[in-house]
Amino acid sequence: MTHASHPAKTTTLPIGSDADLAWVRQRVRQTAAGLGFGLVQQTKLVTAASELARNTLIHGGGGHVEITPLDHQQPRGLRLVFVDTGPGIHDLDQAMTDGYTSGGGLGLGLSGARRLVQEFALDSRPGQGTTVTVVAWAGGAPAPQPVPR
């Protein structure tokens, strides 16, 4: 995952109700637009955020999202970290399979969100909760930087 070289302003929003899901979508769209994301990029990011926020609420019993602009370099990016303390995911491979659903949905939540962003990390431990971190970059992922020797 990408880390800022200096502290970025992180906004934390609760995810405990359907109304909270709307606030998350709105804040993600506003932040992405402010960072220069195009309309298509905004829509992809808001769709991923909506899926992950809904998973946090339904499967994780609620939690929060941390929204961090990555504006210290070009292109600019946005990191979203969804955290819950629910039951966790018992089979990560199965949960990341297209079409798999543990509820009544379409089964595109985690795998669909992964395809909509440039960076995706999932950390889940049964009985301890789940953290999903995604990063999207305005204009695509930045070029790899050489490793200093």
Side-chain angles (χ1 to χ4, degrees):
M1 286 276 119
T2 304
H3 298 284
S5 58
H6 63 277
K9 176 150 176 48
T10 298
T11 301
T12 301
L13 298 176
I15 300 173
S17 69
D18 284 338
D20 292 338
L21 299 180
W23 282 111
V24 169
R25 287 190 298 266
Q26 181 180 3
R27 180 58 67 94
V28 168
R29 183 173 299 280
Q30 288 172 343
T31 305
L35 289 168
F37 281 72
L39 185 57
V40 171
Q41 292 174 306
Q42 290 175 43
T43 301
K44 287 180 178 181
L45 187 55
V46 169
T47 299
S50 183
E51 290 293 332
L52 295 171
R54 183 161 295 285
N55 280 357
T56 299
L57 177 63
I58 293 173
H59 302 296
H64 68 273
V65 62
E66 299 165 5
I67 302 170
T68 307
L70 303 174
D71 58 359
H72 61 284
Q73 64 185 43
Q74 290 296 327
R76 293 178 174 183
L78 186 59
R79 179 176 48 235
L80 307 175
V81 181
F82 295 85
V83 180
D84 71 61
T85 56
I89 301 171
H90 294 278
D91 186 340
L92 293 175
D93 290 334
Q94 184 179 40
M96 291 302 298
T97 301
D98 284 345
Y100 172 75
T101 179
S102 60
L106 298 174
L108 296 175
L110 290 174
S111 62
R114 178 177 58 187
R115 285 192 303 274
L116 294 170
V117 297
Q118 283 84 31
E119 299 177 28
F120 183 97
L122 172 63
D123 181 32
S124 186
R125 292 181 179 86
Q128 297 182 19
T130 300
T131 299
V132 180
T133 304
V134 299
V135 178
W137 298 98
Q145 299 297 315
V147 177
R149 294 182 186 245

